[in-house]
Amino acid sequence: MNFKSEPLISEEKLQTRLDELAAQINKDFGDHPLTVICVLKGAFIFAADLVRRLKMPVHIEFIGVSSYAGTESTGHVRITHDLSADIVGKNVLLVEDIIDTGRTIDYLIDAFRVRAPKSVKVCTLLSKPEVHDMRNKLDYVGFDISKEFVVGYGLDLDGLYRNLPHIAQLES
Ligand code: IMP
Ligand code: MG
């Protein structure tokens, strides 16, 4: 698999944007405790970088979902790892790597609302507005990108390339 030689989003740009996103979240939530739910596996690096910038008391939870095979959405969302704590009455921030069609995040928001949290907000590093097919809105978006498949900084192609420190685009 080949990548375009220039990163789509450099390490430096990622870190600068994270500062801005965290500042906004800190402003919106103030001192209110926040339950951050990291959507595995793709969001693990983004979530780790983001929570270190948050100032309120933070609980971290993980949810594992699987919806992709290769570069195509299968349309079926499967929970592979559930939360370890309940979220009744909590302010929840769902942290995703990327919103493509938005079906995964719609599924998760519905699944979480049933568990009676105080609020549910969504923070995603990347978003592909051209392909959205979703009912919910996104509260915090790092970067809008085109519909091309990307890897790195947590995002994979069939399990590989999550460890790249920047976002790279595949050569098409
Ligand atoms: P959605 O349900 O179509 O929004 O797909 C969301 C999930 O698909 C994301 O959480 C990613 O795990 C994966 N995904 C979508 N687009 C990409 C991409 O460009 N690179 C890597 N993973 C992607
Ligand atoms: Mg994901």
Side-chain angles (χ1 to χ4, degrees):
M1 191 59 66
N2 290 320
F3 301 115
K4 296 197 174 155
S5 52
E6 281 296 304
L8 181 67
I9 308 171
S10 67
E11 279 186 81
E12 196 190 345
K13 278 198 183 134
L14 288 169
Q15 297 306 319
T16 304
R17 186 69 185 122
L18 260 94
D19 288 342
E20 294 168 0
L21 285 175
Q24 188 64 50
I25 296 167
N26 282 325
K27 186 165 164 254
D28 291 352
F29 287 90
D31 293 333
H32 296 283
L34 189 59
T35 299
V36 171
I37 301 182
C38 168
V39 183
L40 294 172
K41 298 175 186 169
F44 81 111
I45 295 178
F46 174 44
D49 278 350
L50 184 70
V51 293
R52 279 180 280 181
R53 291 166 160 89
L54 298 181
K55 302 209 160 60
M56 69 291 284
V58 169
H59 281 98
I60 305 190
E61 284 291 320
F62 297 93
I63 186 125
V65 293
S66 161
S67 63
Y68 254 70
T71 60
E72 294 297 322
S73 176
T74 59
H76 298 283
V77 182
R78 198 164 51 90
I79 291 192
T80 55
H81 172 95
D82 205 348
L83 306 181
S84 64
D86 83 49
I87 54 169
V88 178
K90 310 281 192 211
N91 287 314
V92 165
L93 183 67
L94 263 166
V95 176
E96 253 289 28
D97 53 357
I98 187 164
I99 308 296
D100 187 31
T101 62
R103 286 178 205 134
T104 306
I105 206 72
D106 269 351
Y107 176 90
L108 286 176
I109 291 169
D110 290 349
F112 289 152
R113 287 220 173 105
V114 175
R115 302 183 192 189
K118 186 172 176 197
S119 66
V120 179
K121 290 201 167 180
V122 177
C123 176
T124 185
L125 177 66
L126 305 174
S127 170
K128 296 179 177 172
E130 274 173 72
V131 276
H132 284 183
D133 170 27
M134 58 190 292
R135 289 171 276 109
N136 290 286
K137 69 174 176 62
L138 303 173
D139 300 285
Y140 308 97
V141 176
F143 301 89
D144 282 334
I145 61 169
S146 64
K147 61 184 179 189
E148 269 71 50
F149 200 80
V150 293
V151 295
Y153 197 69
L155 290 102
D156 75 305
L157 172 60
D158 282 343
L160 285 175
Y161 313 118
R162 294 192 197 277
N163 54 314
L164 292 178
H166 54 264
I167 300 288
Q169 216 169 28
L170 298 180
E171 193 81 71
S172 44

